[in-house]
Structures are given as C-alpha cells and as structure tokens.
Amino acid sequence: MAPSEAEIQRQKEMQQAEELLFSGRQELGFAKGLFLGNFVADWVMPYPRLDPTRQTELESALSEVRQVLDRDLDPDWIDRNADIPRHLIEGLARTGVLGMTAPREVGGRGFSQMQYCRILEEIGKRDASTSVFVNAHHSIGIRALLLFGTREQQAQWLPALVAGEKLAAFALTEREAGSDAANVRMTATPSDDGSHYVLNGEKRYITNAAVSQVWTVMARTPVPNKPGKDAITAFLVTPDTPGVEMIEGRMPKLGIRGTATGRFRLNNVRVPKENILGPLGKGLRVALTVLDFGRTTFGACCTGAAKHCLQLAIEHANSRQQFKKTLGNFDLVKKKIARMAADVYAMEAMTNVTASLIDRGLEDYMIETAMLKVFTTDRLWEAVNDAFQIHGGSAYFDDNPLGRMLRDARINQIGEGSNEVLISFIALVGMRGPGMEFKEIYDTMTSFSMNRVGKAWNAGMSRLGATVRTPNVAVQSAELRGFAGQLGRLIWRFNVAVNRALVVYREPVLDMQLIQERIAGAAMELFASTCALSRWDSELQARGRNGETQPFDFTAPKYFLRKSIRHAKELLTELNDNDDHALLDTANAALRATK
C-alpha cells in the first residue's frame, strides 16, 4: 500500500529533525540519561561555583551595573514611553554589559556564561524590557558572530557591537515561521557570478529591529548540485542596505513595551557572500545553537524577576493588616510565599547548572536549556500571579509595579520557542535514546540478521539493566541521603514509564502531546530537583568547611524537593489514569461547532 500524504509529510519532518538534531557528536548528558534510567552525576554535581578570581570579577561588575541601573533605569518611564533611553544603553555599554562574554581582544570582558547570567538576573530583577533588549543584542544578537563568525567577520563587526556603538538583532520569525523555525520563507538567491545573494521576504516580531545596525537574518538558499532542494542560511545584513523597508519600527504591544519590536521587508536586497554566517545551508543549526545561550540567560532574567516578586510579596504581607492581623499570618498567603521562595531557589540552581554546562565546553545540552526555559518562565508567571493576589486590589493600579510585571512576564512563555513546542521537544528528543534501543530489538526480531544480533543484545541489556537497577544519587551530606534515595527511585520509575509509553504507543506517541506533556513535565521536575539538591548539598558542605555555627535556613530547598518529587509522581501516575479521551472529545466537539 502506498503511503498517504500525511505519512510522507511525517517521514519528511522526521528526516529533517534527524539531520538537524542528531548529525553532530552525541554524548549522554544529564537529561538524555534520565530517559535511559541513568543518573549522569558529573553534569550536575558538585554544584558549580565560580573560582575566587571570577567571583571577584563578577562582584566588581555587579557593583558597576547596579550603579548604572540605580541612576539611569526607570522601568515605569520605559513602560509609559515605550522606549529605552539612550543614556541607559550607553551606561550599560560602558560597564561592558553589551559585550560581556566577548573576548577581551575585541573589547569584551571575557565573562563566563555563569557570570553573565548573574548580570542578567540583576537586570531582570529591575526591568523586563531592559533585560530583553540586552538578551536580544548579546545572547542571540552577537552570539552567532562569536560562535560562527570567521576571523574577518569578527574583526569587522564585533568591536562596534561589543562597545555598544552599534546594536544587534536576530531575525528569524516570519508570518509562518516562529516556533516552527524550519518554515522560514525568506529567500536568498545567489547571483550568477556567485559574488552575492539577493534576499526577499518579510520578518516580524524582531526585537531591536528598529534600533540596531546589524541583523542576523535567516533565509532559504538553494542547495548546490541538488536542484529543487533548499536549506536555511544565516546572513549578516545592515538595515541601511538598499531595498530594506522598515514597515513598522515599534509594534504596539501588551508588555515589554520598551523594546523596539519591529517588522521589516527585504526587497531584492543584495548581500555579499562574505556576509554568510556559518556554513551555507546550516542556518537552522546556527539559530538553535544561539537559542541555547538565549534560553539560559532567559532563565536568569526570569529568576531575577521572580526574586523581585517574592520581595514585594513579603514586604506587603508583613505590613498590610486585615482582620487585625498582617497578611503574613494567614496560611493561604503563606502558601503563596512558600511556593515562590521554593521555586526561586530551584530557578537559580537550574540556571547556574545549565550555564555551567556551556562554560565547561560540554556538548548537546539542548534539552537542558529547553527545560530551563519552560520551567523558569512558567514559575515566574505563577510568582507574578501570586504576588499580585497578595497585593489584592492595589496591584491593579498603575502606581504598583506588579501590573507592569504581569504584562511583561506573559511573553516569556512564548518567546524563543513557545513552551508547548519545547515540551514536545523535550519529550521526543529524550525518548529517542530508549526508542532507538527498542527499535534495534524489534528490527532484529522481525528481520533476523547476524549483523544486528550484537547491537540488539546490547540494546536489550541496556533496557533490562535500567529496569532492574536504581540509579545512585550520591550526596556528600548525610542529612540529604533520604532525598537522594527518593530521587534515585523516581528516576527508575520515570524510565519504566517512558519504556512503557514507547512499547504501548510506539510511533503514534510522536503525535500524543498529552502523553508528551506528562513525560516532559516529570523530566523537568527531576532536573529541577537534582539542581536544588546539588545546591543544597554544596551549601551544607560550605557551612561545614567555614566552621559557621549559626543555623542556616534550608526550608526553601526542603519544601521544593518535597513538592517537586510529589508532582513528578502525579504526572507519571496520570500517564495511565487520565481523562484524555474526554478532553479530546470535548475539544473536537467545540472545534466542529464553530465551523
């Protein structure tokens, strides 16, 4: 029977994903290890700490940045005027924020990703518009140049960008391409002599588009010697090039109003071949690699904002009186504050661990950065909502910052890959490892070949070993061994649940997003719990080494681990006990009724 059009499209999508995600070196990182029933300890333990030199460097930079922010940053003015003032940008440039991780040879400060995340956390605590502006310029704007630029390109473009004399933007999104990054429609046609490319198409929702002088633009180029086939390539484009049309420099929007989010069109724009960034046809790889860095600093910005929410909530709960008691005396208020405090602890731990993966030169941490982005953006939204509720009606008025923060926070679950898309990504890429082992076994059983026997045996032993072995989560502090044991048993249970889903649903699981959501959710809780446990263990050890006798407050990590482990168990239980059929029937009936 000939394959249907849907099946052909499915195979095409799977082939594209394979080429994109699994063409390079594959190593067993922490997240992929979870799906295989392993605990890859050295990715998360011991908890990463900056060495004394870098810590001193960071503290000095933080002091400088805080002075600039205290003097020049007025988040309410930025929100009202929908603009980030030039004197603030110049102040950030002087302190090195706009080129923090760039090498010193080009004027940067040579900061690590962990150091830079701490700077972004401080900015994120003050104002989301400013943190998004910085993130767009540095984390995804010039990052592509730092990672993929030739020496000539870096020498030409980086000094002015690092100094803040010029600003950068990253142009991927189009009408039909956003989270579906592979659906870019802008074209780049090579000239007959091969000296340049002619770009045509429109980009939208591009942060910094109207205020930047250098754009990294994604466009489709023909694949040499393969007629009819094309691929995405990254180009460096300047907006002063003939044919560039700024349709809308500042698109009015709900939140992060200070950022210049623009829409532009390229009409037969000639771009020299020397402006190709990275290999021809590998623009999607450039984009996804850059987004790994952007999602890490995203986590830092959200952590800073969540810390501010917690601070505002505590101040109000300790001062506002109702029924002859301060709000902090009511258990339902305490519930919200406890949840915020616990989540902030885990968010900070996850951000540091994920940033350290980059600093250590490890590879293939796409799942970890996706987890960090989904987790921190969701938890910030909950934190803003809880702080808003604690403030009550006063939060609804413009003299309270929580209204602005609520509007600003909403974009986080959409930008740099919507959380729904990333949830499916986490589940599907994670399940690929055990799925390939099951496929090896199945293919050998249905089409016996001596060449396959060895691979099938190894795959079978791997799946069997993960089923009978509980991973060891080693901690140094005796008081944490109970939590470590719970975490190890939960990783075992998670692996069994993943195996069962693969065996029961097989290939249809690729489309079962409700199943994917639970698997990804449990994996994120495991990652978050491990990061929190690693941090807690490190802090206990530091207390012992420093000989400090005063009691430390470890209530936040203790509560986080309890609720995180419980939530992961609930998600795994719901894989077999749920209302998915009723949910889908209801949604389908509602969708049909509106046609």
Side-chain angles (χ1 to χ4, degrees):
M1 182 183 295
S4 67
E5 185 176 333
E7 289 171 336
I8 293 173
Q9 180 63 25
R10 157 72 69 194
Q11 291 301 320
K12 182 179 178 181
E13 290 172 354
M14 290 177 65
Q15 183 180 355
Q16 289 175 340
E18 291 279 336
E19 291 174 356
L20 176 64
L21 297 173
F22 309 114
S23 58
R25 176 186 171 190
Q26 298 294 304
E27 61 179 299
L28 188 63
F30 180 79
K32 288 183 177 178
L34 291 177
F35 283 85
L36 289 165
N38 298 325
F39 183 77
V40 186
D42 61 345
W43 274 49
V44 289
M45 292 179 173
Y47 186 70
R49 299 285 181 187
L50 294 172
D51 63 52
T53 300
R54 285 199 173 272
Q55 184 63 40
T56 301
E57 249 183 356
L58 173 61
E59 289 170 0
S60 175
L62 275 172
S63 177
E64 296 173 36
V65 171
R66 283 172 181 145
Q67 288 179 28
V68 170
L69 298 179
D70 288 342
R71 183 183 66 244
D72 297 331
L73 177 59
D74 182 345
D76 293 320
W77 187 95
I78 289 172
D79 185 60
R80 284 193 308 272
N81 292 275
D83 189 23
I84 297 174
R86 186 65 207 180
H87 67 271
L88 173 57
I89 296 174
E90 291 170 352
L92 293 172
R94 283 195 304 274
T95 60
V97 168
L98 300 186
M100 209 117 229
T101 65
R104 289 183 171 86
E105 306 88 78
V106 293
R109 295 190 69 154
F111 270 31
S112 68
Q113 190 71 5
M114 278 183 66
Q115 288 175 302
Y116 185 54
C117 280
R118 185 64 189 86
I119 299 292
L120 263 293
E121 180 189 308
E122 185 66 32
I123 299 173
K125 187 186 296 184
R126 312 287 189 109
D127 177 50
S129 286
T130 306
S131 65
V132 170
F133 158 77
V134 173
N135 212 23
H137 167 78
H138 189 303
S139 296
I140 60 176
I142 68 172
R143 180 67 70 174
L145 259 173
L146 291 170
L147 294 174
F148 297 97
T150 63
R151 288 185 179 180
E152 293 76 16
Q153 288 173 333
Q154 290 180 353
Q156 178 182 353
W157 303 94
L158 279 178
L161 290 168
V162 166
E165 296 166 6
K166 293 183 178 180
L167 299 175
F170 186 81
L172 170 66
T173 307
E174 301 176 6
R175 180 184 294 274
E176 303 299 334
S179 295
D180 184 4
N183 205 32
V184 165
R185 289 291 172 261
M186 178 171 280
T187 61
T189 306
S191 62
D192 292 338
D193 63 2
S195 65
H196 63 273
Y197 284 75
V198 179
L199 273 62
N200 282 283
E202 183 179 315
K203 297 289 183 181
R204 57 171 55 193
Y205 309 148
I206 308 303
T207 304
N208 291 355
V211 298
S212 54
Q213 293 75 39
V214 182
W215 298 338
T216 301
V217 177
M218 300 294 157
R220 305 198 78 86
T221 53
V223 176
N225 304 318
K226 292 187 178 180
K229 188 172 183 180
D230 56 25
I232 298 173
T233 298
F235 291 88
L236 292 167
V237 179
T238 58
D240 58 358
T241 307
V244 174
E245 177 188 358
M246 184 60 67
I247 302 171
E248 203 170 0
R250 289 183 179 271
M251 303 174 73
K253 52 190 184 293
L254 176 71
I256 55 168
R257 291 177 174 171
T259 57
T261 306
R263 181 162 66 102
F264 63 82
R265 184 181 295 118
L266 302 186
N267 303 301
N268 295 320
V269 173
R270 293 162 58 100
V271 178
K273 67 177 182 179
E274 290 79 13
N275 284 23
I276 292 176
L277 188 57
L280 182 70
K282 299 298 182 182
L284 206 51
R285 169 69 69 175
V286 172
L288 294 183
T289 303
V290 165
L291 288 173
D292 276 337
F293 287 78
R295 288 168 185 158
T296 309
T297 45
F298 225 84
C301 296
C302 289
T303 299
K307 285 184 175 182
H308 192 202
C309 288
L310 177 60
Q311 177 187 351
L312 292 173
I314 291 171
E315 289 172 355
H316 193 72
N318 282 333
S319 60
R320 171 71 167 163
Q321 288 204 354
Q322 291 285 277
F323 307 106
K324 299 182 179 179
K325 293 192 292 186
T326 58
L327 293 182
N329 283 293
F330 294 95
D331 287 354
L332 291 180
V333 173
K334 289 179 180 179
K335 177 183 177 181
K336 292 176 171 57
I337 289 176
R339 184 164 53 200
M340 277 189 274
D343 287 348
V344 161
Y345 186 94
M347 290 165 72
E348 186 173 12
M350 289 178 74
T351 300
N352 281 334
V353 167
T354 308
S356 76
L357 304 180
I358 295 173
D359 290 337
R360 290 163 59 189
L362 299 177
E363 298 181 24
D364 195 15
Y365 37 72
M366 292 178 74
I367 304 182
E368 286 80 4
T369 61
M371 286 179 171
L372 175 68
K373 193 270 181 180
V374 175
F375 186 91
T376 55
T377 57
D378 281 349
R379 297 307 165 94
L380 171 58
W381 181 247
E382 292 174 7
V384 174
N385 193 54
D386 281 345
F388 201 102
Q389 188 69 16
I390 289 172
H391 278 73
S394 66
Y396 220 71
F397 291 85
D398 287 344
D399 61 347
N400 189 306
L402 283 166
R404 166 176 48 79
M405 295 177 70
L406 188 80
R407 289 185 285 104
D408 288 345
R410 190 59 189 87
I411 190 60
N412 295 328
Q413 294 161 301
I414 300 169
E416 297 200 17
S418 76
N419 284 10
E420 289 77 13
V421 169
L422 291 179
I423 283 168
S424 289
F425 170 82
I426 292 164
L428 293 177
V429 176
M431 287 191 291
R432 183 180 186 271
M436 292 299 289
E437 291 184 341
F438 278 122
K439 184 177 185 299
E440 194 70 53
I441 298 167
Y442 177 81
D443 288 348
T444 302
M445 293 173 62
T446 56
S447 179
F448 184 80
S449 167
M450 288 302 297
N451 294 331
R452 284 179 169 170
V453 170
K455 291 182 179 179
W457 172 263
N458 291 335
M461 293 305 294
S462 173
R463 290 299 84 225
L464 177 62
T467 303
V468 300
R469 182 189 66 249
T470 301
N472 178 39
V473 179
V475 291
Q476 298 183 58
S477 307
E479 56 259 62
L480 299 184
R481 287 174 189 157
F483 278 119
Q486 289 184 59
L487 201 55
R489 291 188 293 274
L490 187 55
I491 293 170
W492 171 85
R493 182 178 169 184
F494 173 74
N495 173 250
V496 171
V498 169
N499 289 347
R500 184 183 184 279
L502 289 167
V503 171
V504 171
Y505 301 117
R506 299 178 62 183
E507 190 168 320
V509 79
L510 295 172
D511 293 314
M512 301 176 71
Q513 292 190 335
L514 299 178
I515 298 297
Q516 296 166 16
E517 181 180 38
R518 296 184 183 101
I519 289 172
M524 282 188 283
E525 293 292 0
L526 287 170
F527 183 40
S529 289
T530 302
C531 293
L533 183 66
S534 178
R535 177 182 175 185
W536 188 3
D537 193 27
S538 173
E539 289 168 346
L540 284 170
Q541 294 302 306
R543 179 188 63 178
R545 285 194 298 271
N546 296 337
E548 296 171 357
T549 56
Q550 72 267 28
F552 273 58
D553 178 13
F554 292 121
T555 52
K558 181 178 182 179
Y559 175 51
F560 179 81
L561 282 161
R562 290 177 64 89
K563 76 184 185 76
S564 181
I565 289 172
R566 179 178 289 109
H567 186 217
K569 290 178 179 177
E570 291 168 351
L571 289 168
L572 295 179
T573 298
E574 289 171 8
L575 284 170
N576 306 314
D577 181 11
N578 55 63
D579 300 316
D580 289 358
H581 289 299
L583 180 156
L584 294 173
D585 287 345
T586 302
N588 290 333
L591 290 166
R592 285 193 299 269
T594 60
K595 287 183 179 179

